Amino acid sequence: MRSPGQILVDVDRAKRVFSAGGAPTVALEKATCRVSVGDRIALVGQSGSGKSTLLHIMAGLDQPTFGTVKWPAFGAVGGLRSGKIGIAFQSQSLVGWLTAVENVALPLQLAGHGEDAHGNAHDALARFGLDHLSDKLPEELSGGQAQRISLVRATITNPPLFVADEPTGQLDRQTGKELVDMLFQWADENEVAVVVATHDLTIAERFRTIWTMQRGLLYPAVGEF
Ligand SMILES: Nc1ncnc2c1ncn2[C@@H]1O[C@H](COP(=O)(O)OP(=O)(O)O)[C@@H](O)[C@H]1O
Ligand SMILES: [Mg+2]
């Protein structure tokens, strides 16, 4: 399942046009890219350059208007549902009436692995240094804390592919650095490919691969932005 170099996501000339309301917006221009087992990719670019759009397409949450996205290792889009791709969203996405540990346990329960979901969720929170927040409700958390809990939730199924949208956006530099350390350690131990969108170059430069986005165009190396 996780042989080195195996392709997890294959995006071929994917274009995304949003056309609700007024003039259409081209959020993504014919992007072609692949993510393979073991990859560490930072996706950088200004706000509005198309990072979230590309991540959502890679994760199967959105479809390209033209072009294709495939998951050779997982089968069709339905195959993604059982915890194959972990997604930490940019915006707050915790379930408001569940505690932090219950939120983290949720993907395991939805995937039918409810037996020790709570124990695993506690371990996952501890691994990211957040166990002291286990019993807090989302409304009792700061924005940065809630975002880190969402990130831990996205790791809980040990997905082959992990995608995070601006995971350090609400953190100070030191906390952001520590989060990336913990994320890499988890990903190394579990052979997880990581794709992270960020506009922070000090975060991006820690990734082996940097992709740059500019006005919907995807470039494979760092450019001016
Ligand atoms: N659901 C949507 N409806 C209309 N326009 C959108 C939508 N999502 C994103 N866009 C537009 O697409 C462009 C790229 O957005 P996005 O992918 O969120 O960029 P980034 O994540 O780099 O900030 C922006 O111009 C944004 O306004
Ligand atoms: Mg975004």
Side-chain angles (χ1 to χ4, degrees):
M1 173 79 191
R2 301 190 191 184
S3 41
Q6 186 185 17
I7 297 167
L8 301 174
V9 190
D10 189 356
V11 180
D12 187 21
R13 285 163 289 170
K15 179 167 176 170
R16 180 65 166 106
V17 183
F18 290 106
S19 44
T25 303
V26 180
L28 189 64
E29 282 281 8
K30 287 193 182 159
T32 295
C33 57
R34 285 172 167 179
V35 182
S36 302
V37 168
D39 278 354
R40 299 277 179 272
I41 299 164
L43 185 60
V44 300
Q46 278 183 345
S47 179
S49 58
K51 303 183 297 298
S52 296
T53 302
L54 179 58
L55 289 187
H56 289 169
I57 285 174
M58 283 181 169
L61 298 169
D62 188 18
Q63 289 180 336
T65 317
F66 304 101
T68 58
V69 54
K70 293 184 182 145
W71 298 272
F74 309 147
V77 71
L80 308 179
R81 301 266 143 75
S82 54
K84 299 281 177 34
I85 303 183
I87 308 149
F89 294 98
Q90 186 168 7
S91 53
Q92 143 71 4
S93 63
L94 297 176
V95 179
W97 60 88
L98 297 180
T99 63
V101 69
E102 289 167 346
N103 264 283
V104 173
L106 200 55
L108 287 176
Q109 286 164 338
L110 293 175
H113 303 295
E115 322 81 51
D116 197 26
H118 263 75
N120 287 330
H122 268 294
D123 292 347
L125 283 167
R127 160 179 268 276
F128 283 87
L130 297 168
D131 38 339
H132 59 292
L133 301 175
S134 292
D135 299 325
K136 299 242 188 248
L137 286 165
E139 65 186 19
E140 300 171 306
L141 300 170
S142 72
Q145 288 172 334
Q147 202 180 22
R148 278 178 289 163
I149 302 287
S150 309
L151 181 140
V152 177
R153 182 177 60 183
T155 68
I156 193 72
T157 60
N158 276 339
L161 174 62
F162 175 87
V163 171
D165 201 351
E166 309 269 4
T168 62
Q170 297 184 54
L171 305 178
D172 60 80
R173 188 142 284 176
Q174 181 60 24
T175 310
K177 182 187 170 301
E178 287 166 11
L179 182 76
V180 174
D181 291 341
M182 293 184 275
L183 183 62
F184 280 174
Q185 193 178 351
W186 165 77
D188 286 345
E189 286 170 14
N190 294 284
E191 297 179 293
V192 179
V194 177
V195 184
V196 166
T198 180
H199 56 254
D200 184 344
L201 272 187
T202 64
I203 296 289
E205 67 194 8
R206 303 193 47 204
F207 287 69
R208 273 201 299 277
T209 306
I210 299 182
W211 293 348
T212 304
M213 292 205 71
Q214 239 174 356
R215 281 178 249 110
L217 284 163
L218 174 68
Y219 300 93
V222 191
E224 281 176 42
F225 69 93

